[in-house]
Amino acid sequence: MRLERRAHRPLFLVLVSPLIAVAAALAIAGILIAMAGAPVLEAYWRIVTGAFGTRLAATETFTRATPLILTGLAAAVAFRARVWNIGAEGQFYVGAITVAALGSSTLAALPGPLLIPTLFAAGALAGMLLMLLPLWLRLRFSVDEVVTSLLLNFVAVLFVSLLVEGVLKDPLAFGWPQSLPVSERALLPKLIMRSRLHIGLAVAVAAAIIVHLLQSRTVFGLRTRAAGLSPAGAAFAGVPLGLTLVKVACLSGGLAGLAGAIEVMGVKGYVTTDLSPGYGYSGIIVAMLANLHPVGVIAAAVFTAAMFVGADGMSRALGIPTYIADVIVSLSLLTMLVALFFTQYRIRR
Amino acid sequence: MTTVLALSGISKRFGDIIANENISIALRKGEILALLGENGAGKTTLMSILFGHYTADSGTVRVDDVELPSGKPRAAIRAGVGMVHQHFSLAPNLTVLNNVMTGTEKLWSFKSDTAAARTKLLGISQRFGLSVNPDARLGDLSVGEQQRVEILRALYNDARILILDEPTAVLTNIEAERLFSTLKEMAKQGLSLIFISHKLDEVMAAADRIVVLRGGKVAAERRVGETSKAELAELMVGHRVTRPIRDAATPGAVALEATGVTVRRGGVDRLKDISFRLCEGEILGIIGVSGNGQAVLSHLVSGLAEPSIGNIRLFGEPLANLGVRALIESGIGRIPEDRNNEGAIGEMAIWENTVLERIWTPAFSKYGLVNRKAGIAFAQRIIGEFDVRGGRPTSRTRLLSGGNMQKLILGRNLHVRPRILIAAQPTRGLDEGAVAAIHARILEARKQGTAVLLISEDLDEVIGLADRIQAIVKGRLSPPVAAETADPRMLGLMMAGEWLQSEEAGHAS
Ligand SMILES: Nc1ncnc2c1ncn2[C@@H]1O[C@H](COP(=O)(O)OP(=O)(O)OP(=O)(O)O)[C@@H](O)[C@H]1O
Ligand SMILES: [Mg+2]
């Protein structure tokens, strides 16, 4: 028995591989649930109902999926060009804090239709700038951006913490470290009344579609792919390598920054240092589950969000720790890597 | 004589392409067998099956009358089969000794027995006259030396059957001769060899027996004594091939001129004070032993390197911006030496590779949107016009055989006649029929006024095509000689750098 590289990746396999991966992850996690002494099928059923069973649950799942779509896109566009942006978490936070600073300032007096787009742009810009630093270090000094973008996450979170306990601290928050709230007028309209679900979801879905069109239809998309697959080949064909990577880094950092901006304006209205339960890191898993495809990112983000939201319900009903959600999501990353491998290779006897 | 290797009834399909069909070949002890065939005839596929990289759809491989399990390179190695790939599989950052040892050590032993390995390696290199320095870093070696290491690695694994896939494609004539005398010595000592080649001269000189593949089938089998180059060429292609002959022409205006150009990279002068002048309707051949600066020279005129000193004039205008796009816009076609790394991106579709370097032209994109249909149609035309076999415009480029990928690269450059053509090793790895076709194309372009800079290690090619010839040695260019006055001996001296010595002597006096 041995592996042989496939001439073509069958489209069918590419489409079903994430499903198989998820099924495998659920099967393995099922063993853990059984070991914890709970009925496996019921546990999974509880996750499904916990995530989608009621109006409240479903809107909560999609609210959680919104930032994951954007951070997932951030990772997907970067990885496609072999720019290893592990810094979406930090870019999320600088996007968020920028929006909090501007949205609570005199800028909030801007006319309504201008205010929200301006804040979106500001958040995205902040994320972009934070990603440009690691990219510059890579282009200029060949420093690996995996390390620098990752470490910048801690810098960014500490910086945010400095601000929310300092100049941006909300004096009305009974001493809690939280930022000034953004103006009422900067809050995103709800998508569904009496829920937390806001129009940020529509923005995220639109972003996924735009990224997809950008990658599949444009010169930028073609060049990015060339630069990612073979820098020497791309350079020979006249692809401006540095510029292309700068654009990719801007897009990636911008999407992560936008995620932070939307989270502030859509959900909380202010920034705390626990605004993100690791959205930036989960975005990497989302991107991998989606096979780096922007439209697939939407589905992968909803799946991941559903696991986290649903696990709460299951935990309450069956007394299994909610950590099982983390286990399932992480396992599905591993099984997805295996599944991806088999879309490229086949087993021969 | 005993049969050491028997392939019987091997068939292999890739989708709807039949790469091998019912092939049976036997190899005897101490024999050198040459495998010939057009680009895409299935030679590499057959050897990959023999070595276990691919699994055959049907058929068996027997070594010493024992059937090899299919698809297991380790089993093949253990049975004494060694393979030297067309693209070397060595690690450039390791030493020769480490490269030879990798893959033979047990994964779970922490200690590696370097001393014993060194003794064994030196023993082998002495026995076959393959001298190497075991402690040299592989990346510092020339291509010919790297290949020697590949062979040593196979021998280190006690290979008794050695397979070489186009071993001479990257070697100079001298290196190739040395390789074949080594191979003959190995055969004399009882090893059995199979080599793949497109060069009929060396096949006639080195092989005992020749198998010709065509369209995935064995087309003929001949002993060397009973055949001729002409017959082999005909067997391969199915009809007679003759290389086209250059007829006299008067060159036009100067198209490309370099004066006193030095290119410095990493503190080293890769090109030193070179000058040349290339006219419209003329072919200037640059000959030289590989590794003497050809790569930098072709980068320089392809827009990938800039002169540190000196200047370049394009159609009489000083060239300020040497970018790839500027060059392409002014009508320069470029065929890179390294087709796998620079010429094409294997994971991209064939059509994407044909349009990538001119994606900005209105024919292929508008407002930043790619015109996929036009790209596919363009690729389809090139596939038809240049006889690229084995792929559709939407299939991945890496699936093309080496020669067919080269035809694709040539096609995208010659499809619209370029004003200047930079051709670095344009026919490396091409079969005789394809070489003739490409030469005809280049001569045709010359006739219509294209200025061609031909950088090649193949002397026959340069003599056949070039009007004037310069040699490149250690980053310097010799003064040009007219092709009419050149003979192989004189060119050999030029490549050895004889003019350099007299030049230096001239400076000293
Ligand atoms: N992995 C693969 N998937 C699909 N088609 C393949 C694959 N490998 C080879 N082919 C096809 O099989 C045919 C034979 O290819 P092969 O590489 O054996 O040719 P070759 O005789 O070595 O040619 P060349 O002289 O150009 O190297 C070609 O048409 C090629 O496109
Ligand atoms: Mg081949």
Side-chain angles (χ1 to χ4, degrees), chain A residues 73-91:
Chain A
L73 287 175
V77 293
F79 291 2
R80 182 70 87 89
R82 312 259 157 113
V83 171
W84 306 113
N85 178 8
I86 314 295
E89 185 79 2
Q91 292 141 22

PDB file of all heavy atoms in Angstrom, chain A residues 73-91:
ATOM      1  N   LEU A  73     -11.524  34.800   7.064  1.00  0.00           N
ATOM      2  CA  LEU A  73     -11.117  35.365   5.768  1.00  0.00           C
ATOM      3  C   LEU A  73      -9.709  35.932   5.850  1.00  0.00           C
ATOM      4  O   LEU A  73      -8.906  35.782   4.927  1.00  0.00           O
ATOM      5  CB  LEU A  73     -12.084  36.470   5.343  1.00  0.00           C
ATOM      6  CG  LEU A  73     -13.461  36.051   4.863  1.00  0.00           C
ATOM      7  CD1 LEU A  73     -14.317  37.291   4.615  1.00  0.00           C
ATOM      8  CD2 LEU A  73     -13.340  35.237   3.583  1.00  0.00           C
ATOM      9  N   ALA A  74      -9.436  36.604   6.976  1.00  0.00           N
ATOM     10  CA  ALA A  74      -8.107  37.206   7.148  1.00  0.00           C
ATOM     11  C   ALA A  74      -7.034  36.138   7.008  1.00  0.00           C
ATOM     12  O   ALA A  74      -6.035  36.324   6.305  1.00  0.00           O
ATOM     13  CB  ALA A  74      -8.007  37.900   8.503  1.00  0.00           C
ATOM     14  N   ALA A  75      -7.248  35.005   7.668  1.00  0.00           N
ATOM     15  CA  ALA A  75      -6.258  33.926   7.574  1.00  0.00           C
ATOM     16  C   ALA A  75      -6.249  33.329   6.171  1.00  0.00           C
ATOM     17  O   ALA A  75      -5.188  33.077   5.597  1.00  0.00           O
ATOM     18  CB  ALA A  75      -6.563  32.848   8.610  1.00  0.00           C
ATOM     19  N   ALA A  76      -7.433  33.140   5.589  1.00  0.00           N
ATOM     20  CA  ALA A  76      -7.503  32.466   4.286  1.00  0.00           C
ATOM     21  C   ALA A  76      -6.789  33.259   3.193  1.00  0.00           C
ATOM     22  O   ALA A  76      -6.026  32.699   2.416  1.00  0.00           O
ATOM     23  CB  ALA A  76      -8.961  32.216   3.903  1.00  0.00           C
ATOM     24  N   VAL A  77      -7.020  34.578   3.136  1.00  0.00           N
ATOM     25  CA  VAL A  77      -6.375  35.344   2.059  1.00  0.00           C
ATOM     26  C   VAL A  77      -4.864  35.369   2.259  1.00  0.00           C
ATOM     27  O   VAL A  77      -4.099  35.312   1.299  1.00  0.00           O
ATOM     28  CB  VAL A  77      -6.897  36.792   1.936  1.00  0.00           C
ATOM     29  CG1 VAL A  77      -8.335  36.811   1.492  1.00  0.00           C
ATOM     30  CG2 VAL A  77      -6.710  37.588   3.195  1.00  0.00           C
ATOM     31  N   ALA A  78      -4.436  35.453   3.501  1.00  0.00           N
ATOM     32  CA  ALA A  78      -2.995  35.511   3.739  1.00  0.00           C
ATOM     33  C   ALA A  78      -2.341  34.178   3.412  1.00  0.00           C
ATOM     34  O   ALA A  78      -1.334  34.132   2.701  1.00  0.00           O
ATOM     35  CB  ALA A  78      -2.721  35.898   5.198  1.00  0.00           C
ATOM     36  N   PHE A  79      -2.943  33.098   3.903  1.00  0.00           N
ATOM     37  CA  PHE A  79      -2.320  31.783   3.706  1.00  0.00           C
ATOM     38  C   PHE A  79      -2.255  31.426   2.225  1.00  0.00           C
ATOM     39  O   PHE A  79      -1.330  30.777   1.768  1.00  0.00           O
ATOM     40  CB  PHE A  79      -3.093  30.702   4.468  1.00  0.00           C
ATOM     41  CG  PHE A  79      -2.975  30.815   5.964  1.00  0.00           C
ATOM     42  CD1 PHE A  79      -2.250  31.849   6.545  1.00  0.00           C
ATOM     43  CD2 PHE A  79      -3.585  29.892   6.802  1.00  0.00           C
ATOM     44  CE1 PHE A  79      -2.147  31.959   7.921  1.00  0.00           C
ATOM     45  CE2 PHE A  79      -3.479  29.989   8.179  1.00  0.00           C
ATOM     46  CZ  PHE A  79      -2.766  31.023   8.737  1.00  0.00           C
ATOM     47  N   ARG A  80      -3.261  31.817   1.477  1.00  0.00           N
ATOM     48  CA  ARG A  80      -3.273  31.541   0.055  1.00  0.00           C
ATOM     49  C   ARG A  80      -2.018  32.099  -0.623  1.00  0.00           C
ATOM     50  O   ARG A  80      -1.486  31.521  -1.562  1.00  0.00           O
ATOM     51  CB  ARG A  80      -4.538  32.147  -0.540  1.00  0.00           C
ATOM     52  CG  ARG A  80      -4.794  31.942  -2.001  1.00  0.00           C
ATOM     53  CD  ARG A  80      -5.139  30.533  -2.371  1.00  0.00           C
ATOM     54  NE  ARG A  80      -6.541  30.197  -2.277  1.00  0.00           N
ATOM     55  CZ  ARG A  80      -7.423  30.352  -3.264  1.00  0.00           C
ATOM     56  NH1 ARG A  80      -7.065  30.900  -4.386  1.00  0.00           N
ATOM     57  NH2 ARG A  80      -8.657  29.972  -3.111  1.00  0.00           N
ATOM     58  N   ALA A  81      -1.525  33.219  -0.122  1.00  0.00           N
ATOM     59  CA  ALA A  81      -0.329  33.825  -0.707  1.00  0.00           C
ATOM     60  C   ALA A  81       0.918  33.475   0.090  1.00  0.00           C
ATOM     61  O   ALA A  81       1.969  34.078  -0.085  1.00  0.00           O
ATOM     62  CB  ALA A  81      -0.490  35.332  -0.779  1.00  0.00           C
ATOM     63  N   ARG A  82       0.793  32.477   0.965  1.00  0.00           N
ATOM     64  CA  ARG A  82       1.897  32.089   1.857  1.00  0.00           C
ATOM     65  C   ARG A  82       2.391  33.246   2.700  1.00  0.00           C
ATOM     66  O   ARG A  82       3.594  33.406   2.914  1.00  0.00           O
ATOM     67  CB  ARG A  82       3.087  31.506   1.085  1.00  0.00           C
ATOM     68  CG  ARG A  82       2.725  30.467   0.080  1.00  0.00           C
ATOM     69  CD  ARG A  82       2.979  29.068   0.600  1.00  0.00           C
ATOM     70  NE  ARG A  82       2.122  28.147  -0.144  1.00  0.00           N
ATOM     71  CZ  ARG A  82       2.573  27.228  -0.986  1.00  0.00           C
ATOM     72  NH1 ARG A  82       3.826  27.062  -1.140  1.00  0.00           N
ATOM     73  NH2 ARG A  82       1.742  26.449  -1.626  1.00  0.00           N
ATOM     74  N   VAL A  83       1.496  34.107   3.104  1.00  0.00           N
ATOM     75  CA  VAL A  83       1.831  35.099   4.126  1.00  0.00           C
ATOM     76  C   VAL A  83       1.223  34.540   5.394  1.00  0.00           C
ATOM     77  O   VAL A  83       0.007  34.382   5.490  1.00  0.00           O
ATOM     78  CB  VAL A  83       1.212  36.477   3.801  1.00  0.00           C
ATOM     79  CG1 VAL A  83       1.394  37.430   4.970  1.00  0.00           C
ATOM     80  CG2 VAL A  83       1.847  37.060   2.560  1.00  0.00           C
ATOM     81  N   TRP A  84       2.066  34.203   6.368  1.00  0.00           N
ATOM     82  CA  TRP A  84       1.548  33.489   7.541  1.00  0.00           C
ATOM     83  C   TRP A  84       1.147  34.483   8.616  1.00  0.00           C
ATOM     84  O   TRP A  84       1.892  34.756   9.536  1.00  0.00           O
ATOM     85  CB  TRP A  84       2.549  32.461   8.035  1.00  0.00           C
ATOM     86  CG  TRP A  84       2.965  31.539   6.934  1.00  0.00           C
ATOM     87  CD1 TRP A  84       4.201  31.444   6.370  1.00  0.00           C
ATOM     88  CD2 TRP A  84       2.136  30.596   6.233  1.00  0.00           C
ATOM     89  NE1 TRP A  84       4.183  30.509   5.366  1.00  0.00           N
ATOM     90  CE2 TRP A  84       2.930  29.975   5.264  1.00  0.00           C
ATOM     91  CE3 TRP A  84       0.791  30.225   6.329  1.00  0.00           C
ATOM     92  CZ2 TRP A  84       2.443  29.006   4.397  1.00  0.00           C
ATOM     93  CZ3 TRP A  84       0.309  29.259   5.469  1.00  0.00           C
ATOM     94  CH2 TRP A  84       1.131  28.660   4.514  1.00  0.00           C
ATOM     95  N   ASN A  85      -0.040  35.019   8.460  1.00  0.00           N
ATOM     96  CA  ASN A  85      -0.553  35.973   9.436  1.00  0.00           C
ATOM     97  C   ASN A  85      -1.190  35.216  10.595  1.00  0.00           C
ATOM     98  O   ASN A  85      -2.301  34.717  10.494  1.00  0.00           O
ATOM     99  CB  ASN A  85      -1.579  36.888   8.758  1.00  0.00           C
ATOM    100  CG  ASN A  85      -2.194  37.870   9.733  1.00  0.00           C
ATOM    101  OD1 ASN A  85      -1.750  37.975  10.885  1.00  0.00           O
ATOM    102  ND2 ASN A  85      -3.203  38.598   9.295  1.00  0.00           N
ATOM    103  N   ILE A  86      -0.469  35.146  11.706  1.00  0.00           N
ATOM    104  CA  ILE A  86      -1.007  34.484  12.906  1.00  0.00           C
ATOM    105  C   ILE A  86      -1.491  35.574  13.858  1.00  0.00           C
ATOM    106  O   ILE A  86      -1.785  35.332  15.016  1.00  0.00           O
ATOM    107  CB  ILE A  86       0.087  33.616  13.584  1.00  0.00           C
ATOM    108  CG1 ILE A  86       0.835  32.774  12.563  1.00  0.00           C
ATOM    109  CG2 ILE A  86      -0.502  32.688  14.638  1.00  0.00           C
ATOM    110  CD1 ILE A  86      -0.002  31.736  11.871  1.00  0.00           C
ATOM    111  N   GLY A  87      -1.487  36.816  13.377  1.00  0.00           N
ATOM    112  CA  GLY A  87      -1.729  37.954  14.255  1.00  0.00           C
ATOM    113  C   GLY A  87      -3.135  38.524  14.187  1.00  0.00           C
ATOM    114  O   GLY A  87      -3.362  39.665  14.601  1.00  0.00           O
ATOM    115  N   ALA A  88      -4.102  37.742  13.713  1.00  0.00           N
ATOM    116  CA  ALA A  88      -5.456  38.288  13.578  1.00  0.00           C
ATOM    117  C   ALA A  88      -6.023  38.731  14.930  1.00  0.00           C
ATOM    118  O   ALA A  88      -6.789  39.695  15.010  1.00  0.00           O
ATOM    119  CB  ALA A  88      -6.377  37.260  12.926  1.00  0.00           C
ATOM    120  N   GLU A  89      -5.623  38.035  15.986  1.00  0.00           N
ATOM    121  CA  GLU A  89      -6.129  38.397  17.316  1.00  0.00           C
ATOM    122  C   GLU A  89      -5.714  39.833  17.669  1.00  0.00           C
ATOM    123  O   GLU A  89      -6.532  40.647  18.103  1.00  0.00           O
ATOM    124  CB  GLU A  89      -5.569  37.405  18.349  1.00  0.00           C
ATOM    125  CG  GLU A  89      -6.103  37.590  19.753  1.00  0.00           C
ATOM    126  CD  GLU A  89      -7.497  36.986  19.949  1.00  0.00           C
ATOM    127  OE1 GLU A  89      -8.037  36.384  19.004  1.00  0.00           O
ATOM    128  OE2 GLU A  89      -8.041  37.149  21.046  1.00  0.00           O
ATOM    129  N   GLY A  90      -4.455  40.141  17.457  1.00  0.00           N
ATOM    130  CA  GLY A  90      -3.975  41.492  17.753  1.00  0.00           C
ATOM    131  C   GLY A  90      -4.612  42.527  16.840  1.00  0.00           C
ATOM    132  O   GLY A  90      -4.993  43.624  17.273  1.00  0.00           O
ATOM    133  N   GLN A  91      -4.763  42.169  15.555  1.00  0.00           N
ATOM    134  CA  GLN A  91      -5.371  43.095  14.611  1.00  0.00           C
ATOM    135  C   GLN A  91      -6.833  43.331  14.962  1.00  0.00           C
ATOM    136  O   GLN A  91      -7.355  44.441  14.808  1.00  0.00           O
ATOM    137  CB  GLN A  91      -5.220  42.542  13.185  1.00  0.00           C
ATOM    138  CG  GLN A  91      -3.765  42.530  12.722  1.00  0.00           C
ATOM    139  CD  GLN A  91      -3.402  41.307  11.916  1.00  0.00           C
ATOM    140  OE1 GLN A  91      -4.259  40.646  11.332  1.00  0.00           O
ATOM    141  NE2 GLN A  91      -2.113  40.974  11.881  1.00  0.00           N
TER     142      GLN A  91
END
